[in-house]
C-alpha cells in the first residue's frame, strides 16, 4: 500500500491512509528490523454507489481525518485504542450514516448499557452498532 494512492479492482476502489498505530513500534524496533515497515493503514472503500471507511487500528483520532472528509455510508471504527468520549465527540456532526464500532475492549463491553447511552448522547444522531464476533451489519 502507498499512502493516499487508490487501488482499483473489479469496480471497487480501496484508498489506504497511513495511521499512527505502529509509530512507537517503528521507532523502537525498525533499526533492528530494517525489512519490516511497521506500517498500519485505514481505508476508504468505494464502489457500486457505496462509500465505506475502515479505521483498522489507529493510534490517534486524527488518523480518521482522511476517511471523514467526504460523506460515508458506513464507518467501521475500532474502539480499543482511543477514548470513547473523545471519539464520539470527534464523529458527532459528520456526514456519516452509520458507525459500526469494532475491536471493543472487554472493559467497555462490561458496561455495554453505559457505552450505548454515551454513544447515543454524544454521536449527535448518527446510527451506531457495537459489533460482536460474527455479527453482520446492514446499512
Amino acid at each position: 500500500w502507498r499512502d493516499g494512492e487508490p487501488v482499483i479492482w473489479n469496480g471497487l476502489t480501496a484508498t489506504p491512509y497511513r495511521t499512527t498505530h505502529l509509530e512507537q513500534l517503528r521507532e523502537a524496533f525498525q533499526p533492528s528490523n530494517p525489512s519490516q515497515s511497521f506500517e498500519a493503514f485505514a481505508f476508504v472503500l468505494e464502489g457500486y454507489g457505496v462509500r465505506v471507511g475502515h479505521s483498522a487500528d489507529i493510534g490517534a483520532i486524527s488518523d480518521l481525518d482522511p476517511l471523514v472528509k467526504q460523506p460515508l455510508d458506513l464507518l467501521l471504527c475500532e474502539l480499543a485504542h482511543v477514548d470513547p468520549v473523545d471519539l464520539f465527540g470527534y464523529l458527532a456532526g459528520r456526514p456519516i450514516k452509520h458507525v459500526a464500532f469494532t475491536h471493543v475492549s472487554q472493559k467497555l463491553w462490561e458496561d455495554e448499557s453505559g457505552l450505548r447511552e454515551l454513544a447515543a448522547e454524544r454521536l449527535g444522531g448518527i446510527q451506531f452498532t457495537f459489533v460482536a464476533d460474527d455479527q453482520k451489519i446492514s446499512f
Side-chain angles (χ1 to χ4, degrees):
W1 300 108
R2 290 194 173 110
D3 187 44
E5 290 187 24
V7 174
I8 300 170
W9 179 76
N10 282 349
L12 300 173
T13 301
T15 306
Y17 295 97
R18 189 182 309 238
T19 70
T20 59
H21 178 64
L22 296 178
E23 279 187 4
Q24 291 179 344
L25 289 177
R26 183 182 312 117
E27 292 170 12
F29 295 106
Q30 194 168 37
S32 59
N33 297 280
S35 64
Q36 181 60 258
S37 68
F38 293 96
E39 292 178 311
F41 292 92
F43 297 89
V44 171
L45 309 168
E46 298 171 283
Y48 306 102
V50 177
R51 188 167 191 275
V52 176
H54 186 308
S55 72
D57 285 330
I58 57 177
I61 292 171
S62 60
D63 289 341
L64 299 174
D65 289 350
L67 279 60
V68 299
K69 280 185 177 179
Q70 296 178 31
L72 293 171
D73 295 295
L74 176 67
L75 173 62
L76 300 163
C77 188
E78 69 105 336
L79 195 53
H81 301 107
V82 292
D83 178 79
V85 172
D86 295 339
L87 178 61
F88 298 161
Y90 170 87
L91 295 175
R94 298 197 184 261
I96 302 168
K97 291 181 183 175
H98 192 117
V99 180
F101 293 103
T102 63
H103 200 23
V104 179
S105 71
Q106 183 61 38
K107 180 181 176 185
L108 293 176
W109 278 122
E110 289 171 4
D111 185 18
E112 182 180 350
S113 63
L115 184 61
R116 288 183 186 284
E117 287 177 24
L118 181 66
E121 175 185 303
R122 301 270 177 145
L123 282 172
I126 297 173
Q127 292 182 355
F128 64 90
T129 304
F130 293 100
V131 181
D133 290 347
D134 298 322
Q135 183 176 351
K136 294 181 182 178
I137 303 296
S138 297
F139 64 97

